[in-house]
Amino acid sequence: MNSFIGRRSLSSGISLIGLIVLIFFLSRLTGDPTGLYLPLDASLEARDNFRVVHGLNDPLIQQFGRYLVDILQFDFGDSIRKARPALDVVLEAFPWTLWLAAVTMICVTIAAIVIGSLAAFNVGGPFDRLSGMLSLAAASAPDFWIAILGIFFFSVYLGWVPTSGTGTLWHWVLPVSVLFIRPFGLILQVVRGSMINALSSAYVKTARAKGVRERSIIFVHALRNAMLPVVTVIGDQAAGMLNGAVVVETIFGFPGIGKLMIDSILQRDFAVVLAAIMVTALAIFLMNLLIDLLYAVLDPRIRY
């Protein structure tokens, strides 16, 4: 197990270094941020002073080398926009995204497992056909379109929930609902297919022959063996949300890391962009490692 964790850490570290190189140089291609932070009539001396203060006058390779040395000391630089350490800015936004993803994925997982299992138990029946149509529609629905419809109908027309912000639980209803739909459709289909295979297996037939109750067969015997592919899809979807539910956070003004990255890119706040990407990449690595370890719990035959 320790060697597996070591190999995964090494491969993730190499990927992270490649990502840092790519994002660092691509972010510099967006242009000089001086024009965004100084007035149009700022003197040449003021512009030069701004670049010197933020290390933008140095050659690009020198800037990159200095950045690598700094991050090895956990110094991610300062945010130009907020005049604060970039890591502090990112760590303030990240818990919002983490909570948003956690609440959404808990709701998605429970709903998809229950409905998918019942659909598999009633293959070909009305409930199975209805859940199949809903899952296909949900999996193909674009987030921005659902978000706009949700704001128009539930906020503007009915006035039930606010359009943006985070002040109350009602502010979470639309962002969570919009993020819920697509993963729900995908995971429901995987649960249904995996459960159909599990319910037709020999051990389930043996359990039925012994008189085990159907509820126990579905949610105890079959579900555990059907969970491996489901866990993979859940992990992928959760990683996508941690990577920044960019569209949803931007539309609903949710102060998560996705909105922070968009704002920082538009404001050419390079230090915050890089810090946000590194924190997100580390979180995704830890989550994928947790999912790999969960495989061994679900299936004792798996060894690392």
Side-chain angles (χ1 to χ4, degrees):
M1 183 66 74
N2 290 336
S3 63
F4 168 73
I5 295 175
R7 290 196 306 273
R8 287 295 303 268
S9 301
L10 180 62
S11 62
S12 298
I14 294 172
S15 301
L16 186 59
I17 292 172
L19 188 63
I20 291 172
V21 174
L22 184 66
I23 299 300
F24 182 89
F25 288 101
L26 283 179
S27 64
R28 264 53 180 186
L29 292 178
T30 59
D32 188 350
T34 308
L36 291 175
Y37 294 94
L38 294 181
L40 293 176
D41 58 350
S43 64
L44 288 176
E45 183 181 0
R47 292 175 184 275
D48 283 340
N49 185 54
F50 180 90
R51 294 191 185 96
V52 169
V53 168
H54 296 287
L56 301 173
N57 257 355
D58 300 326
L60 207 52
I61 294 297
Q62 186 176 339
Q63 292 182 39
F64 181 64
R66 185 171 59 238
Y67 182 76
L68 287 181
V69 172
D70 288 342
I71 61 175
L72 288 176
Q73 305 172 49
F74 297 99
D75 180 3
F76 292 82
D78 292 335
S79 164
I80 301 176
R81 190 161 53 106
K82 301 195 174 185
R84 297 173 51 206
L87 187 58
D88 291 352
V89 175
V90 171
L91 293 180
E92 281 181 5
F94 187 66
W96 289 102
T97 297
L98 198 61
W99 274 111
L100 183 62
V103 171
T104 304
M105 288 309 301
I106 289 172
C107 297
V108 167
T109 302
I110 294 173
I113 287 177
V114 172
I115 296 175
S117 299
L118 294 176
F121 184 70
N122 299 280
V123 176
F127 184 83
D128 181 34
R129 289 198 293 271
L130 178 61
S131 66
M133 288 188 290
L134 287 176
S135 65
L136 286 174
S140 57
D143 290 344
F144 73 92
W145 182 71
I146 300 171
I148 292 171
L149 284 182
I151 290 174
F152 174 75
F153 191 71
F154 293 105
S155 298
V156 177
Y157 184 70
L158 296 175
W160 287 355
V161 288
T163 56
S164 63
T166 56
T168 66
L169 284 177
W170 292 110
H171 288 87
W172 290 66
V173 172
L174 278 179
V176 170
S177 300
V178 172
L179 285 176
F180 174 93
I181 293 175
R182 186 195 294 268
F184 170 73
L186 292 172
I187 296 172
L188 174 58
Q189 292 179 24
V190 176
V191 170
R192 177 185 176 276
S194 188
M195 282 295 288
I196 288 174
N197 290 333
L199 289 172
S200 61
S201 59
Y203 66 88
V204 168
K205 293 176 181 175
T206 302
R208 281 182 173 142
K210 291 181 177 179
V212 179
R213 296 173 60 187
E214 287 295 332
R215 184 179 300 176
S216 298
I217 290 175
I218 295 173
F219 293 108
V220 177
H221 296 276
L223 186 58
R224 175 168 179 166
N225 292 283
M227 282 300 291
L228 277 179
V230 178
V231 167
T232 303
V233 179
I234 290 174
D236 289 342
Q237 295 301 311
M241 289 188 194
L242 283 182
N243 200 23
V246 176
V247 174
V248 171
E249 289 184 0
T250 302
I251 290 177
F252 292 107
F254 201 84
I257 204 164
K259 184 175 186 302
L260 176 67
M261 279 197 279
I262 290 294
D263 292 343
S264 300
I265 290 170
L266 293 176
Q267 297 295 321
R268 294 171 190 162
D269 200 349
F270 303 139
V272 174
V273 174
L274 284 162
I277 289 171
M278 292 190 66
V279 168
T280 304
L282 181 61
I284 291 174
F285 160 70
L286 292 175
M287 192 178 64
N288 286 333
L289 182 62
L290 181 64
I291 290 171
D292 287 338
L293 298 178
L294 188 58
Y295 286 160
V297 175
L298 292 172
D299 189 349
R301 294 171 298 179
I302 297 178
R303 290 288 181 270
Y304 296 109

